Amino acid sequence: MSESSPVSAGSQRWPRRRRAATAMVIAGATLAATALALLPGTASASSHREAPLIAADPYVDNTDTYVFVSPDKPDTVTFVANWFGLQEPNGGPNFYPWATDAHYDINVDVDGDAKADTVYRWDFTTDDRRGTDTFLYNTGQVTSLNDPDLKFRQSYTLTEIKNDKRGKVIAKGQVAPSNTGPASFPDYQKVRNEAIDPVDGGGQQLVTQADDAFFLDLRVFDLLYGGNVGGNGPTEVGQDTLAGYSVNTIALQVPIEDVVLKGDKARNPVIGVWSDTERRSLLLLPQPAGPRVTGPYVQVSRLGNPLVNELVLPAGLKDTFNAIEPDKDAGIPAVVQRVTDPEVPKLVEAIYGIPAPKGPRNDLVEIFLTGVATNAPTLDGTKPPIQADLNSQVLNKDANPKKFRPSEMIRLNTAVAPTANPNRLGVLGGDLQGYPNGRRLADDVVDITIQAAEGAFAKGLPPVIVAPLAAGDAVDTNDKPFEKAFPYVALPSNKSVNDAANTQGAVPPVAGPGSGPSLPAPSVIAGLAALALLGTGLVLSVRNRRTTAPSAATAA
C-alpha cells in the first residue's frame, strides 16, 4: 500500500532551489564536524574519488549512474546507481553501511528544463544488534535476510516524488548485507535475492553490495597512461584497476510509462537521468553543546555522465559541481568552457603528438549538455554537428523547447529497443542503444569517451575512429560477467583485491546490458578542506519534432 511521506517534497527539497551559494558552507560545516569528531565516513568521491571534499565522505559518494531499457523486459527501464567505491571485500568489522542521515536520489528530467520531474529517494535506518556482546558483523553462517546470526542490518524506505510535490512511499524493505566472506555467506546470491522487493505501481528494486561494474585502467592519471616514454605510446594499459572491488548499489526497474513525459513513450521517449546524495547539515553550536544534526539537507555529490567530473572539470571546479543542480550548469562559464574547449585533447597532443580537434567543441556539447538532435540548442547558436535525432529532450513532442536548459546528465531514448547483439562501444560501434544514449553496464565508456574527446563525433554520424587511440585503455570488459536479469549487476567479491582470483583476465563479452567486439588494436586533511570550503561558500553566499526511434540509417 502506498502512503504519504510525513514531510512534503517541497519542505525536504526547498534548499535545492537556493542553495548553490550556501551548499558549500553547510557541506564544509558537516565535514569539519565529522573530522573533529573523528567519525568514520571520511574517504571517496563522485565517480571514484575525483572531488577533494567528497573524497572524505565515501558513504555518500556517487561513483556511477546507469540507465537502459531492460533487455529482458523492454517495456521497462532500469536505473543502477552506485555509491561508496573502492570497497575492499575484507573491510571489517564495520564493512560498508549506508548513511542514515542522507538522501540517496535518482532523478529524472523529462522536459529538458534540467529540473527533476521524478525523484526516487532512498532513506536508511540501522538495526545494530551487536551491542556489547560482539564485534562481529555476523556470529555464524548467514543463510537468509532474517538469520539470527546476522547482527548488523539496515532497512530502506523508497519515496517517489513527482514534480516537486508531496512524496509517496512506494517500497520498504531490508538491505542486502555486505558480503563478509565465503564462510559467513555460503550462498550470498540467495540472501541478496531475498532483498529484491516489488515497487508499488509495478517494477522492482534492490539495495545491495555489488561488484563494481565500472571497468577501466585508472593509470590515466599517470600522464595519460604512461607519458609516451621513449615514444612507445601508452604503456600503462590493460589493468582493470577496479577488479575485485565492490560498491553499494541501488537498482530500480519501473515501467517506462511511469517516467516519460505524460506517460506517453510514443510522443515523449527521451529522459535525462542523474543521481545525487544529500547530507543533513549540522548546526555548529558553542561548546559544550557542539555540533548537532538539525539543518536542511544539502546536495554533496552528483553523478550523470561518467568521467565528467574526473576528466573534464579541473580541480578547482569539482566540489562546486558536486554541490549544484543541473539547471545551474550552463550559467557557469567555467563549466561550459571545459566542454567547448576541453583539456584532455590538449594533453594528448602534448604527450602523444595527436592534434587536438579545433573548437568550439559543439559535438561534446551535444553529448554532455543537450543530447543529440538535429535541432539541439548549441550554446553559440550554430548548427549542431551531430545531425541525428537520438536522445535530446527537445525531441519530446510535449516538451516546451523554450524552457530547455543545457545541463550535464545521461539522456536515454527509451524508444530505441535493446539489441540482441550489444556492442560495448555503443553509438561509437553503431549500437544506438548504448552510450551515450543511456549507459548499460557493459558499455566501455572510457574508450568511447576518449574517442569522443579526440573528435570521433565531431563530423557527426557515423563516427570516425581516431586510429592511434583505437585500443583505448585495453580494458574491454568487466572482471565479472553481468547477470542477464534484474538486477543485472554481478555479485560482490568475497576475496581480497590482491588475491589472484581478482586479477584481470580474459573475460568474454557477456549478454548483459551492453557488450560486443573490441576496437581494432593499433582527519587533519579533512578539517583543512572543510575550512577551505567554508570560506569559499561564505564568499559565494555574499554574491549571490515528431519523435521516432532513430535507426542506424537515419543517424548516419
Side-chain angles (χ1 to χ4, degrees):
M1 292 290 294
S2 299
E3 56 184 281
S4 293
S5 173
V7 182
S8 72
S11 63
Q12 288 177 337
R13 300 176 67 87
W14 69 265
R16 301 180 70 143
R17 298 186 184 277
R18 293 180 291 174
R19 67 190 171 204
T22 60
M24 287 191 290
V25 175
I26 304 173
T30 302
L31 181 57
T34 301
L36 291 170
L38 297 179
L39 293 175
T42 53
S44 176
S46 166
S47 197
H48 298 85
R49 296 176 54 85
E50 94 295 352
L53 285 165
I54 193 64
D57 197 357
Y59 297 97
V60 294
D61 169 26
N62 296 80
T63 63
D64 284 284
T65 303
Y66 305 82
V67 56
F68 49 90
V69 176
S70 310
D72 55 325
K73 294 184 177 181
D75 59 339
T76 68
V77 61
T78 295
F79 306 91
V80 176
N82 295 335
W83 283 266
F84 205 153
L86 301 173
Q87 295 180 8
E88 156 61 50
N90 295 331
N94 295 311
F95 294 94
Y96 307 103
W98 298 82
T100 58
D101 61 342
H103 296 321
Y104 295 82
D105 296 347
I106 293 177
N107 306 277
V108 184
D109 170 27
V110 299
D111 54 10
D113 65 356
K115 298 178 182 179
D117 299 292
T118 300
V119 179
Y120 294 103
R121 170 170 292 167
W122 285 259
D123 294 288
F124 296 94
T125 58
T126 296
D127 177 12
D128 190 345
R129 304 181 179 186
R130 293 174 295 185
T132 58
D133 297 330
T134 182
F135 62 87
L136 291 172
Y137 191 92
N138 53 283
T139 54
Q141 284 193 342
V142 177
T143 60
S144 71
L145 276 180
N146 296 315
D147 196 306
D149 285 320
L150 181 59
K151 299 303 181 183
F152 186 89
R153 308 178 184 200
Q154 289 196 291
S155 297
Y156 73 88
T157 298
L158 169 56
T159 304
E160 179 188 57
I161 304 168
K162 289 282 190 180
N163 297 310
D164 216 18
K165 296 180 180 179
R166 189 174 182 85
K168 177 178 68 173
V169 174
I170 59 174
K172 285 185 175 183
Q174 192 168 334
V175 174
S178 294
N179 187 350
T180 60
S184 295
F185 288 89
D187 189 352
Y188 183 81
Q189 182 157 22
K190 175 182 178 295
V191 177
R192 184 205 71 174
N193 288 352
E194 290 179 5
I196 299 176
D197 296 319
V199 172
D200 284 2
Q204 54 191 329
Q205 78 89 58
L206 171 67
V207 182
T208 184
Q209 186 184 49
D211 175 72
D212 194 333
F214 196 12
F215 51 94
L216 80 165
D217 194 320
L218 271 174
R219 290 177 291 180
V220 63
F221 299 112
D222 185 18
L223 293 181
L224 300 189
Y225 299 115
N228 200 22
V229 176
N232 295 317
T235 56
E236 297 178 356
V237 294
Q239 172 184 291
D240 185 355
T241 306
L242 301 180
Y245 286 103
S246 301
V247 290
N248 283 348
T249 293
I250 290 175
L252 173 68
Q253 187 176 78
V254 295
I256 291 175
E257 62 185 18
D258 283 3
V259 294
V260 296
L261 181 60
K262 295 186 175 182
D264 193 334
K265 171 184 168 182
R267 289 179 58 85
N268 308 301
V270 179
I271 60 175
V273 177
W274 70 99
S275 60
D276 69 59
T277 327
E278 298 182 344
R279 269 283 198 191
R280 190 76 179 268
S281 57
L282 300 181
L283 177 64
L284 299 182
L285 300 173
Q287 293 298 328
R292 190 171 67 197
V293 181
T294 60
Y297 285 89
V298 295
Q299 181 177 296
V300 296
S301 184
R302 165 187 167 191
L303 204 289
N305 285 285
L307 302 172
V308 168
N309 210 352
E310 281 185 323
L311 299 181
V312 176
L313 297 177
L317 288 176
K318 294 182 184 296
D319 292 316
T320 300
F321 184 80
N322 269 343
I324 64 173
E325 296 291 316
D327 63 331
K328 306 295 191 301
D329 293 346
I332 303 177
V335 171
V336 173
Q337 189 266 342
R338 301 300 291 199
V339 177
T340 59
D341 185 23
E343 179 182 8
V344 168
K346 297 176 183 178
L347 293 174
V348 171
E349 180 173 4
I351 296 172
Y352 295 106
I354 301 171
K358 295 181 179 180
R361 297 295 306 279
N362 283 329
D363 54 323
L364 299 184
V365 171
E366 282 191 84
I367 291 171
F368 294 124
L369 299 180
T370 66
V372 177
T374 55
N375 63 335
T378 55
L379 300 174
D380 59 7
T382 61
K383 182 180 179 180
I386 309 177
Q387 283 290 291
D389 287 332
L390 182 60
N391 69 338
S392 175
Q393 289 104 322
V394 298
L395 299 173
N396 290 338
K397 293 188 178 73
D398 295 320
N400 184 350
K402 293 182 179 180
K403 293 184 177 181
F404 187 88
R405 183 77 172 165
S407 56
E408 194 282 308
M409 62 181 72
I410 299 180
R411 292 171 170 87
L412 172 68
N413 189 331
T414 62
V416 184
T419 175
N421 299 295
N423 188 304
R424 71 176 180 88
L425 298 171
V427 177
L428 185 68
D431 178 1
L432 298 182
Q433 219 264 327
Y435 187 77
N437 182 30
R439 181 186 178 188
R440 302 166 300 193
L441 296 174
D443 285 342
D444 193 341
V445 296
V446 171
D447 286 7
I448 297 169
T449 302
I450 290 174
Q451 287 290 321
E454 289 303 304
F457 295 98
K459 295 183 180 180
L461 295 181
V464 179
I465 301 298
V466 182
L469 297 174
D473 68 345
V475 180
D476 297 344
T477 59
N478 193 42
D479 59 311
K480 288 186 174 186
F482 300 114
E483 297 183 1
K484 296 181 180 181
F486 186 86
Y488 306 106
V489 294
L491 296 174
S493 297
N494 57 17
K495 298 184 182 221
S496 173
V497 293
N498 56 21
D499 188 280
N502 285 324
T503 300
Q504 169 74 359
V507 179
V510 294
S515 57
S518 302
L519 278 170
S523 292
V524 171
I525 296 174
L528 291 173
L531 292 174
L533 182 62
L534 279 165
T536 303
L538 287 169
V539 172
L540 287 175
S541 67
V542 173
R543 294 183 314 197
N544 233 297
R545 152 176 41 122
R546 179 175 180 177
T547 305
T548 57
S551 65
T554 60

